[in-house]
Amino acid sequence: MPDWLITGCSELLTLRGSVPRRGRALAELGLIRDGALLVHGDRITAVGPRRRIERLKEARRAEKLDFGGRVVLPGFVDSHTHLIFPSSRAAEYEQRISGKTYAQIARAGGGIRSTVTNLRRASSSSLRDRARAHLRQFAAHGTTTLEAKSGYGLDWKSELKILDVLHQLHQQQPLDIACTFLGAHVVPPEFRRRPDAYVDLLVKRWIPTVATAGLAEFCDVFCDRGAFTLAQSRRILTAGRACGLVPRIHAEQLAHTGGARLAIELHAASADHLEKVDGGDIRALALSNVVCTLLPGCCFHLGLGHFAPARELIDAGAIVALATDFNPGTSPTLSMPMILSLACAQMRMTPAEAISAATINPAYSLRLHDRAGSLEVGKYADLAAFDVASYREIPYYFGVNLCSLTMKRGAIIHSKKR
Ligand SMILES: [Zn+2]
């Protein structure tokens, strides 16, 4: 791998500064005009104004990569995805548009349970190939690190199949994947009449095994109406934490259940969704280190028109992150630029806030902020270049992919021909 001297960054967004970002600091991008970077191996060895970096003696030996006046920022860190699934649910999408409710679709065998049925039948290789194609698209949209959850298997063999595929992908393709065990996604059909027996199985058998075998770093639960109760969620996340799995939680999406407060109580890394948080929750989250991961793709795709209160969370001082929630039922997008557009237009985040919420704050929520999420000396050379005149144009041109080059650990993994 060559050493790189990267120049031609009309705006180099380093994102250096406080970690995590809260309140006003969320808009601090560490912007350098006409910036440059030196990369040695997989790491950044110098960052600064071009005139200074070009004079360094290491710069003479490095291969030159001139972006010719593009906006360069850290690769996006997508901290909430359901990467492994067997097929799209486009037919169901059309039924919903035609007026069928989610409950009607679910009764007819659709919804999340149809994904579970198909995943259980799918081979590891077909799941891996599908995910690999999606990962190439993540990279093409500027993402260099992502989190991925199990949760469409819901029996031991199938959950293990997902975690295995994730580990293979982490080894075999360039993007870094942080792994989350979401055995508590929904109650599987076999346990419909005895959900607590399923929670017992998770707590006593599956979670300890996942932790001991090092198959995941995080444990997640869908704490909501129609999924797991607050008491069940507490049991599951507490069991995970006792074996070293850091808690994450799907909280306050469909109904207000107390999931956000539970995240604070258990020192969770992240509370995700939060469309239904109230004022008390917002104040409590602002005093905590729980990252509030907002998923506007979900509200957009479902046509809900009710987004999480990003403005209130930021202004109160909570740590806010953005993610795609890539999944076949409620958010089939892997485009972080599209999520930025939704965050700005629908949740009144400024473009600068949205960029911090898609880089350094999600890196913090994945405990990867020592190596990802900003362009600083010692960190991975993970970056994305956009064919725009100003960073504000990244969310402004919505639904268009203007990412022209993505670098992961010093290797070019996506490049658009001009
Ligand atoms: Zn999710």
Side-chain angles (χ1 to χ4, degrees):
M1 202 155 51
D3 289 355
W4 296 107
L5 167 63
I6 299 173
T7 58
C9 313
S10 57
E11 294 179 348
L12 178 63
L13 315 182
T14 66
L15 274 293
R16 66 174 179 240
S18 57
V19 185
R21 297 279 214 277
R22 299 172 185 268
R24 287 216 183 107
L26 192 64
E28 286 166 14
L29 296 176
L31 189 154
I32 303 172
R33 287 188 202 286
D34 194 13
L37 289 153
L38 259 182
V39 174
H40 176 65
D42 60 357
R43 306 275 170 165
I44 296 165
T45 51
V47 193
R50 179 178 53 84
R51 284 159 185 275
R52 181 172 72 77
I53 302 299
E54 275 180 340
R55 277 204 293 269
L56 298 172
K57 79 171 184 307
E58 298 84 356
R60 271 177 248 142
R61 289 195 298 272
E63 195 149 324
K64 292 184 178 45
L65 177 60
D66 183 353
F67 282 125
R70 289 193 172 89
V71 173
V72 175
L73 63 155
F76 294 123
V77 178
D78 189 347
S79 57
H80 186 137
T81 83
H82 302 255
L83 176 68
I84 307 297
F85 56 85
S87 47
S88 94
R89 300 216 308 254
E92 182 186 309
Y93 174 60
E94 188 171 324
Q95 288 167 2
R96 252 191 297 110
I97 293 164
S98 312
K100 286 232 168 64
T101 65
Y102 185 82
Q104 287 169 328
I105 292 166
R107 267 200 302 278
I112 188 169
R113 293 206 169 91
S114 74
T115 299
V116 171
T117 307
N118 292 333
L119 187 134
R120 287 176 176 182
R121 288 190 199 125
S123 67
S124 290
S125 61
S126 69
L127 293 170
R128 194 182 55 227
D129 292 348
R130 191 180 178 83
R132 201 195 294 272
H134 286 143
L135 287 164
R136 280 195 288 270
Q137 285 299 316
F138 274 99
H141 287 78
T143 297
T144 50
T145 300
L146 69 159
E147 181 261 15
K149 305 174 195 296
S150 71
Y152 287 130
L154 306 181
D155 64 29
W156 178 239
K157 208 174 97 221
S158 308
E159 285 294 298
L160 208 57
K161 181 165 69 180
I162 299 173
L163 295 172
D164 259 353
V165 167
L166 287 173
H167 280 266
Q168 288 173 33
L169 288 167
H170 183 62
Q171 304 293 328
Q172 296 168 0
Q173 58 73 56
L175 302 195
D176 283 313
I177 303 176
C179 228
T180 298
F181 179 61
L182 178 61
H185 198 179
V186 288
V187 177
E190 308 83 270
F191 286 88
R192 204 175 52 220
R193 290 177 202 290
R194 45 194 188 105
D196 282 317
Y198 183 61
V199 176
D200 279 341
L201 187 63
L202 283 169
V203 164
K204 293 181 182 151
R205 304 263 297 278
W206 294 4
I207 287 172
T209 312
V210 165
T212 311
L215 295 173
E217 298 148 66
F218 300 98
C219 182
D220 197 343
V221 57
F222 187 13
C223 175
D224 218 316
R225 188 176 64 207
F228 292 87
T229 66
L230 189 66
Q232 290 167 337
S233 302
R234 182 181 282 109
R235 271 193 76 200
I236 292 162
L237 294 180
T238 305
R241 204 174 58 159
C243 342
L245 300 179
V246 178
R248 312 183 82 80
I249 184 168
H250 287 64
E252 326 293 11
Q253 180 191 6
L254 307 170
H256 187 270
T257 61
R261 300 297 183 114
L262 181 63
I264 298 167
E265 174 192 322
L266 297 179
H267 303 284
S270 180
D272 301 29
H273 280 291
L274 304 178
E275 286 87 349
K276 296 275 160 70
V277 282
D278 63 23
D281 297 333
I282 292 172
R283 284 189 293 279
L285 285 163
L287 294 172
S288 79
N289 287 323
V290 176
V291 177
C292 302
T293 302
L294 311 183
L295 311 168
C298 197
C299 311
F300 171 77
H301 181 73
L302 296 176
L304 297 178
H306 177 80
F307 290 80
R311 201 61 269 147
E312 288 82 347
L313 285 161
I314 295 166
D315 294 344
I319 308 163
V320 168
L322 292 166
T324 59
D325 192 13
F326 180 56
N327 80 78
T330 63
S331 189
T333 184
L334 33 67
S335 165
M336 282 301 277
M338 180 66 193
I339 296 300
L340 264 55
S341 297
L342 292 173
C344 294
Q346 304 298 322
M347 303 199 300
R348 292 171 47 234
M349 289 174 70
T350 65
E353 288 172 338
I355 288 170
S356 296
T359 52
I360 191 65
N361 276 1
Y364 172 77
S365 100
L366 295 179
R367 310 292 192 245
L368 292 173
H369 51 288
D370 61 336
R371 65 201 95 153
S374 67
L375 300 175
E376 294 177 273
V377 171
K379 286 200 173 185
Y380 284 145
D382 290 0
L383 57 88
F386 281 78
D387 227 340
V388 291
S390 146
Y391 69 83
R392 295 176 183 87
E393 292 181 351
I394 298 173
Y396 169 81
Y397 288 113
F398 71 93
V400 193
N401 185 19
L402 294 166
C403 177
S404 56
L405 184 142
T406 309
M407 178 178 277
K408 175 68 190 171
R409 299 201 200 186
I412 295 170
I413 59 166
H414 157 74
S415 175
K416 214 191 272 181
K417 301 265 180 303
R418 286 233 263 182

